[in-house]
Amino acid sequence: MRSRNLIWIGLCLLLLTACGSNEDTAAAKHSTEDKTNPQMKEEYDASREIEEAEAEKIEEKKGEVSASLATEAETDAAVEGDHTLTDHAEKSDSLAAYTNEEIEYARIWLQLGDNQNVDELNVRHIAKGEPLNPNAESSAVYPEDVIQLTGARLIDGSITYSGNGDGTINRYYVPLRWEKNTPDDFSEEDMKIFTESIITTTKLISIDPTEGEEVISLIEKINSES
């Protein structure tokens, strides 16, 4: 009986010892946490303050750079605007005494003419519906009003075109002297096919806005006819 009690007491002591040990461990852990948590919190707060300060510095730097770029862009735009206005004024003044049509004729010839040093620049207006080859009954007709520029001599060449009003033209590659550009045995059907092909193969050309004495000199040589 006594031995049984002793065994029971031993078991109770063991249980009490284990419980005490668990409580001491928990207390020690709690004590460590109590000491550690404030320290970790302080370190976290300090780190966060440093990060926020660095972020503020970065944002301030971005703002300074953006402001600097904006100022440079405004300055460049102002300078460019001044140049553009100046150039426009000079261009307008240099050709102010001439009509848009005269300037157009001179610019087109300067860019596309075979001979730049013509003695005169003849301008002929051809109405819509007129035949490309006046000497052929089977000739196709112009689908729109066109203008033909020629020099005083055959060697000067010719340019036949219609304007689009946007700095471009539609060029018709019409021969100035048909008898020199078609075979002797050319039939009416051949002429019809040939002239129709000229209409369907016009070329869109952008004309350079040339300025200066070359344009003025050529304008002075214009001889306009209906």
Side-chain angles (χ1 to χ4, degrees):
M1 180 72 176
R2 184 178 179 184
S3 59
R4 185 181 297 174
N5 291 338
L6 289 173
I7 292 171
W8 184 83
I9 291 170
L11 292 172
C12 289
L13 289 172
L14 288 172
L15 290 173
L16 290 173
T17 302
C19 290
S21 177
N22 290 337
E23 289 177 356
D24 291 341
T25 301
K29 182 179 180 182
H30 181 71
S31 176
T32 303
E33 290 177 353
D34 289 345
K35 292 179 180 178
T36 303
N37 288 343
Q39 182 178 358
M40 292 178 63
K41 186 174 184 303
E42 290 178 0
E43 292 177 355
Y44 173 77
D45 291 343
S47 176
R48 186 173 181 180
E49 289 178 359
I50 292 173
E51 291 178 355
E52 291 177 350
E54 290 179 350
E56 290 179 358
K57 290 180 179 179
I58 291 173
E59 291 299 324
E60 290 178 359
K61 191 65 176 177
K62 286 182 178 179
E64 292 175 359
V65 172
S66 298
S68 177
L69 292 175
T71 301
E72 291 179 2
E74 290 176 359
T75 302
D76 292 342
V79 172
E80 183 178 355
D82 290 343
H83 288 169
T84 301
L85 290 174
T86 302
D87 293 343
H88 181 70
E90 291 175 354
K91 291 177 181 179
S92 297
D93 291 343
S94 66
L95 300 174
Y98 307 101
T99 67
N100 292 335
E101 289 78 11
E102 290 173 328
I103 296 171
E104 174 184 293
Y105 306 149
R107 285 175 173 173
I108 291 173
W109 190 265
L110 284 173
Q111 183 172 332
L112 305 175
D114 293 334
N115 179 18
Q116 301 295 301
N117 299 316
V118 292
D119 295 328
E120 62 182 43
L121 181 59
N122 299 309
V123 180
R124 179 188 173 205
H125 295 266
I126 304 174
K128 173 183 177 181
E130 291 292 318
L132 276 68
N133 183 355
N135 301 319
E137 293 182 359
S138 61
S139 172
V141 299
Y142 287 104
E144 58 185 338
D145 294 341
V146 299
I147 296 170
Q148 188 176 73
L149 305 178
T150 62
R153 301 171 298 170
L154 291 176
I155 196 174
D156 295 333
S158 67
I159 302 169
T160 303
Y161 74 95
S162 65
N164 297 315
D166 59 357
T168 65
I169 65 170
N170 306 308
R171 183 172 185 181
Y172 293 77
Y173 289 88
V174 179
L176 184 59
R177 292 290 184 268
W178 288 91
E179 65 276 9
K180 293 182 176 297
N181 290 275
T182 55
D184 294 336
D185 59 349
F186 225 43
S187 67
E188 289 294 324
E189 184 63 23
D190 292 334
M191 182 60 69
K192 178 182 178 182
I193 295 173
F194 180 44
T195 52
E196 286 178 348
S197 69
I198 292 175
I199 293 175
T200 57
T201 57
T202 57
K203 184 177 180 180
L204 180 67
I205 301 175
S206 179
I207 301 302
D208 299 331
T210 311
E211 302 289 336
E213 291 300 322
E214 285 183 322
V215 177
I216 295 174
S217 176
L218 198 52
I219 290 175
E220 298 296 333
K221 299 177 181 179
I222 289 176
N223 178 27
S224 183
E225 55 183 87
S226 301

